[in-house]
Amino acid sequence: MKFGGSSVADAARIDAAAQIVIDAANRATSGMPVVVLSALKGATDELIRAAADATVGEAGFRERVKELRQQHLDVASELLRSPEAMHNSLSERFTELGDILHGVELVRECTLRTRDLVMSFGELLSSELFAAVLRDRGANARFYDPREFIRTDSGHGSARVNRPLSYERMRETLEEREGIAVVPGFIAATASGVTTTLGRNGSDYTASLIGAGLGVEHVEIWKDVDGVLSADPRYVPEAFVIDHMSFEEAAELSYFGAEVLHPATMLPVQELDIPVIIRNTLNPSAPGTRISNESSGAELITGIASVEDVTIVNVEGTGMVGMPGVAARLFSALARADVTVLMISQASSEHTVCLVFRSQDVAKALRELEHELAPELASREIERFDVQEKMEIVAVIGEGMRGKPGVSGRLFGALGESKISVHAIAQGSSERNISFVVSGADRERTLRTVHTAFFCDQGG
Ligand code: ADP
Ligand code: ASP
Ligand code: MG
């Protein structure tokens, strides 16, 4: 059972989450639940800001740490009958955090490694607190540090997990648990015990890793929405809950939508066919969305995802014609720059290649591309890199589109009627996904137009 940041946002929500866990433990017939927690809502962002402040010698980080400390102490006071012991242990953690940030302030440098250490406090704190709340309610609950059993490489900020080794250690540690195990999500360690993190929103991934390692019946991911919705509810109020969908569909949605699930979540559980159920802490009686090997059965599309703030880079020129060599160099340059290409499209004239990046990656990507293609730029075989900023990728996703004509017609027809101009299009041969790029200013209109075009007769 994994509870995300919004499920542990404040005392009331933590109380509700604890009740959900205790009810599940009381009902359990085979083995006690393992609970994976995120940091309190906003805590990770606040820790990142504190580290950034300390790096430039901005004393404001002390105030941030003080407020975070008070927030945690207040939750303990509200939820525990005798909070003193918890207050002491929280205070100790905050003293340690303050010392680390003071070190950053002194050396005016925060490596990714140190940043991981700073971020790890969010999950450590929420989990210790949560375990104490469960015990206060009479449950047998124990805190486990995932750095003892989730082993990663040293790719700080988004480390890669050694799954076989982690599974083995996980079993040694967690299989014999007698009560409820409470585990911080998001954090792990290298072979030499250095703290790493699994990438933003990584707690979902921690939960599926533990689920796969222990071979559980199912993994529950508790959020603040009734399940995976047909589109981002912040932009499409008429979005509805998708009852069930396949791992592939969920992976496509999370890869392109980024927000509702960490994209790696499906990987460990899919191999073992362990279902993942997305549920709502604020509405525990709702059935949620079940992700398994069974596809949604949706007639055409299952859902719509979107990635905000992307940039298009068009590489244009006759040098691209008959381009195997150029393409290889283009992509190895991008690999060297360590940037992910979210979408690629090339018209068959071979005159241009269109690449789409997260905006934060563009400067890095352009630098490396210009370096790699310097000879072609000098000889004008490649004329220029045309850059279009503040764009948005939208993707329609679903197994139902396979082999069915007319999906693109309906999609682009609707966009045309709404006078939304499309800057690039890509469709994988899996036919599970059609992605296109529109201007960021058209985000909401695009999502709503596409939603109406495919779902006008469903949902709210
Ligand atoms: P947590 O941190 O609690 O695990 P997140 O905030 O990371 O949860 O993810 C849940 C949020 O994702 C929702 O509140 C919603 O605003 C957003 N979201 C974006 N796209 C979708 C979607 N298709 N279905 C459900 N939620 C979505
Ligand atoms: N706390 C981390 C984040 O905000 C991980 C997570 O919540 O899943 O990204
Ligand atoms: Mg989150």
Side-chain angles (χ1 to χ4, degrees):
M1 306 176 76
K2 180 258 168 175
F3 293 86
S6 48
S7 301
V8 290
D10 54 31
R13 299 227 180 147
I14 294 176
D15 194 30
Q19 200 51 53
I20 290 169
V21 171
I22 289 170
D23 289 345
N26 288 339
R27 277 197 313 270
T29 47
S30 56
M32 282 286 142
V34 178
V35 180
V36 174
L37 292 167
S38 283
L40 302 199
K41 188 178 183 131
T44 309
D45 290 332
E46 205 48 27
L47 289 165
I48 292 171
R49 279 187 217 112
D53 283 355
T55 312
V56 294
E58 174 71 59
F61 78 84
R62 292 205 170 74
E63 200 52 41
R64 295 189 192 279
V65 173
K66 217 168 118 189
E67 276 171 24
L68 264 182
R69 177 173 175 274
Q70 199 53 51
Q71 185 190 1
H72 284 80
L73 292 179
D74 288 347
V75 170
S77 305
E78 246 182 274
L79 293 179
L80 300 173
R81 279 165 300 180
S82 16
E84 297 74 21
M86 195 65 224
H87 279 176
N88 288 338
S89 92
L90 290 171
S91 293
E92 264 172 46
R93 288 258 187 223
F94 276 103
T95 304
E96 196 189 330
L97 173 63
D99 288 348
I100 295 167
L101 289 169
H102 181 53
V104 170
E105 184 189 29
L106 289 176
V107 298
R108 292 284 200 278
E109 179 185 43
C110 185
T111 57
L112 287 177
R113 171 174 163 160
T114 303
R115 207 174 92 126
D116 272 354
L117 181 63
V118 170
M119 286 195 286
S120 73
F121 280 80
E123 269 68 13
L124 289 168
L125 291 159
S126 66
S127 304
E128 282 176 349
L129 196 49
F130 197 81
V133 171
L134 290 175
R135 286 192 294 269
D136 192 78
R137 306 280 184 279
N140 177 10
R142 206 186 123 187
F143 170 90
Y144 290 85
D145 192 329
R147 292 174 295 188
E148 309 280 326
F149 52 82
I150 302 185
R151 171 74 62 82
T152 67
D153 66 8
S154 56
H156 288 284
S158 184
R160 224 180 282 268
V161 175
N162 178 335
R163 285 194 273 150
L165 188 65
S166 303
Y167 291 165
E168 197 182 305
R169 298 177 133 236
M170 205 176 277
R171 276 183 221 118
E172 286 164 13
T173 317
L174 293 175
E175 209 139 64
E176 300 300 314
R177 70 190 179 281
E178 275 165 12
I180 301 164
V182 179
V183 185
F186 182 51
I187 66 177
T190 64
S192 41
V194 178
T195 301
T196 53
T197 60
L198 306 180
R200 294 305 306 270
N201 290 315
S203 302
D204 292 341
Y205 186 34
T206 304
S208 76
L209 282 168
I210 295 180
L214 300 183
V216 300
E217 232 167 79
H218 63 260
V219 176
E220 289 176 5
I221 297 190
W222 293 79
K223 301 202 170 256
D224 62 346
V225 275
D226 276 346
V228 180
L229 299 168
S230 51
D232 190 329
R234 287 167 299 181
Y235 306 120
V236 184
E238 53 277 18
F240 57 89
V241 179
I242 301 165
D243 174 71
H244 64 277
M245 66 175 128
S246 66
F247 291 115
E248 285 87 359
E249 288 174 315
E252 297 260 5
L253 268 176
S254 62
Y255 175 67
F256 282 98
E259 271 229 51
V260 69
L261 272 179
H262 183 283
T265 309
M266 266 53 73
L267 216 73
V269 280
Q270 182 172 10
E271 292 171 349
L272 300 169
D273 196 11
I274 297 172
V276 175
I277 304 167
I278 314 296
R279 301 189 60 180
N280 191 351
T281 310
L282 308 175
N283 184 17
S285 59
T289 298
R290 185 184 165 89
I291 303 170
S292 69
N293 275 325
E294 193 186 342
S295 89
S296 65
E299 208 180 311
L300 288 174
I301 76 166
T302 305
I304 305 163
S306 52
V307 188
E308 283 173 28
D309 200 10
V310 301
T311 296
I312 299 182
V313 175
N314 270 316
V315 186
E316 300 179 5
T318 49
M320 306 297 293
V321 176
M323 64 162 219
V326 181
R329 283 166 50 209
L330 218 116
F331 289 110
S332 31
L334 294 171
R336 270 199 308 280
D338 197 22
V339 300
T340 309
V341 192
L342 293 172
M343 196 180 124
I344 305 161
S345 92
Q346 187 198 3
S348 53
S349 79
E350 299 191 41
H351 240 72
T352 66
V353 175
C354 164
L355 306 162
V356 186
F357 303 101
R358 281 187 206 287
S359 294
Q360 74 213 36
D361 290 337
V362 171
K364 235 178 2 171
L366 281 176
R367 221 179 301 130
E368 202 64 39
L369 286 175
E370 275 162 10
H371 179 70
E372 176 64 42
L373 300 175
E376 283 81 3
L377 284 163
S379 67
R380 314 215 48 146
E381 279 173 290
I382 287 177
E383 280 145 43
R384 60 198 188 117
F385 298 129
D386 176 50
V387 178
Q388 292 166 276
E389 292 173 321
K390 297 202 171 65
M391 296 281 149
E392 170 105 1
I393 298 181
V394 177
V396 298
I397 280 151
E399 309 266 6
M401 325 196 276
R402 280 174 123 146
K404 289 220 189 77
V407 178
S408 324
R410 192 187 296 199
L411 175 63
F412 295 112
L415 292 171
E417 254 163 53
S418 297
K419 305 220 174 341
I420 295 166
S421 74
V422 176
H423 296 259
I425 303 171
Q427 180 185 17
S429 58
S430 76
E431 289 192 61
R432 244 186 243 120
N433 173 330
I434 302 174
S435 310
F436 57 95
V437 181
V438 295
S439 159
D442 289 333
R443 171 197 306 143
E444 194 161 331
R445 225 153 52 84
T446 305
L447 289 172
R448 296 190 67 173
T449 298
V450 177
H451 200 270
T452 308
F454 286 97
F455 299 122
C456 54
D457 48 352
Q458 288 174 49

